[in-house]
């Protein structure tokens, strides 16, 4: 007798931005639609409904006793390391007989790096599609920022891997909050390194308060800088959403 695959529980960070929260919920719904054989549910660890506990209850009510829990996050910081495992342990006590395995954040997976490259192509238009065309393009990869140095180091790693073999003049990391350099300081560094064109690329899965703050910082800082600069979209943004340019 073949053992059925476990169900899938997706854990999100949560945001006060309803558009970002809805994008997560739409992602979970679409994943379930594409894989009707796989029970899928998703919830947030904070700020947004539904909470992660409700998502576990949903799976249990559908007859699930075993599931894989995956944090839909880019880096391993406090939520992925502590809050989500603690929430899952509470749910295991609350729902007798369930079991789960816990995955790791996405990190700079090659598929994700390819998505970032497509976002860069969208921001640049048709002008920089090959390594030879990208020699004057510097990318500022902007992450959330964390008090966890491991999480910040993962953004630095993603920046390096995005630069490798793609022909950009450079890829520099920056952060929206809690870590240095911030976006204006990151832009200053790009200018001092001789950047001719700069793309500010968010290292975020969905839109939200912090990604919008990142573009606001970029617009304010850009008024005193000379290189052409553009602002790309979060990795999962709908194609219809435009990027900011000045």
């Amino acid at each position: 007798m073949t053992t059925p695959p476990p169900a899938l529980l997706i854990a999100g960070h949560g945001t006060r931005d309803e558009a970002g929260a809805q994008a997560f919920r739409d992602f979970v719904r679409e994943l379930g639609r594409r894989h009707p054989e796989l029970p899928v549910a998703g919830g947030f660890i904070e700020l947004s409904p539904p909470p992660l506990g409700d998502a576990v209850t949903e799976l249990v009510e559908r007859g699930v006793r075993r599931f894989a829990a995956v944090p839909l996050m880019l880096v391993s910081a406090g939520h992925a390391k502590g809050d989500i495992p603690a929430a899952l342990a509470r749910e295991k006590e609350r729902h007798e007989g369930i079991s789960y395995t816990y995955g790791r954040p996405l990190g700079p997976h090659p598929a994700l790096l390819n998505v970032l490259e497509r976002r860069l192509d969208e921001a640049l238009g048709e002008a920089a599609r090959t390594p030879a065309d990208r020699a004057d393009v510097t990318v500022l990869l902007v992450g959330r920022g964390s008090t966890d140095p491991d999480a910040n180091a993962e953004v630095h790693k993603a920046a390096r891997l995005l630069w490798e073999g793609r022909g950009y003049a450079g890829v520099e990391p920056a952060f929206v909050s809690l870590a240095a350099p911030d976006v204006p300081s990151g832009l200053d560094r790009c200018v001092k390194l001789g950047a001719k064109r700069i793309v500010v690329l968010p290292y975020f899965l969905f839109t939200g308060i912090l990604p919008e703050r990142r573009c606001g910082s970029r617009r304010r800082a850009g008024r005193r800088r000379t290189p052409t600069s553009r602002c790309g979209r979060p990795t999962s943004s709908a194609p219809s959403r435009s990027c900011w340019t000045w």
Side-chain angles (χ1 to χ4, degrees):
M1 182 176 178
T2 303
T3 302
L8 179 61
L9 175 70
I10 302 175
H13 183 286
T15 174
R16 292 185 178 88
D17 183 86
E18 178 55 28
Q22 188 58 48
F24 172 89
R25 292 189 285 263
D26 291 344
F27 174 84
V28 172
R29 187 178 303 111
E30 177 64 15
L31 190 61
R33 186 190 69 80
R34 294 189 181 191
H35 300 276
E37 77 288 354
L38 179 69
V40 178
F44 296 98
I45 198 66
E46 64 175 1
L47 299 176
S48 309
L52 192 62
D54 287 4
V56 174
T57 299
E58 176 188 338
L59 290 175
V60 171
E61 290 176 348
R62 293 165 65 180
V64 170
R65 310 305 294 170
R66 184 170 66 101
F67 59 86
V70 178
L72 193 59
M73 301 171 184
L74 292 173
V75 300
S76 184
H79 284 321
K81 289 180 177 179
D83 297 335
I84 296 173
L88 292 173
R90 290 192 297 270
E91 293 306 310
K92 188 175 181 180
E93 291 183 1
R94 194 160 70 96
H95 299 284
E96 185 177 354
I98 69 169
S99 64
Y100 63 87
T101 56
Y102 184 52
R104 60 184 180 182
L106 299 176
H109 189 279
L112 183 60
L113 294 172
N114 289 338
V115 173
L116 291 172
E117 184 176 15
R118 290 201 300 272
R119 291 290 179 257
L120 286 166
D121 286 344
E122 291 170 2
L124 292 166
E126 298 295 329
R129 296 296 178 129
T130 68
D133 297 328
R134 297 168 175 171
D136 65 348
V137 176
T138 299
V139 180
L140 187 66
L141 186 68
V142 181
R144 175 183 296 274
S146 173
T147 56
D148 186 326
D150 290 338
N152 298 329
E154 289 183 34
V155 179
H156 281 258
K157 179 179 179 180
R160 174 69 190 197
L161 291 174
L162 183 63
W163 175 79
E164 289 279 355
R166 290 180 170 85
Y168 303 113
V171 180
E172 295 294 323
F175 301 94
V176 174
S177 64
L178 300 177
D182 60 13
V183 174
S185 298
L187 286 168
D188 278 335
R189 176 173 171 79
C190 291
V191 172
K192 289 176 181 177
L193 289 172
K196 297 178 181 178
R197 289 191 291 167
I198 303 171
V199 177
V200 181
L201 183 67
Y203 194 50
F204 289 80
L205 288 172
F206 303 107
T207 188
I209 300 297
L210 291 181
E212 291 302 319
R213 187 188 303 171
R214 171 264 318 175
C215 275
S217 298
R218 193 272 305 174
R219 285 191 292 266
R220 290 189 297 273
R223 296 191 184 106
R224 65 177 187 272
R225 293 180 173 82
T226 55
T228 300
S229 179
R230 303 180 181 216
C231 188
R233 299 184 290 119
T235 56
S236 65
S237 297
S240 60
R241 295 178 187 161
S242 62
C243 59
W244 293 269
T245 306
W246 88 81

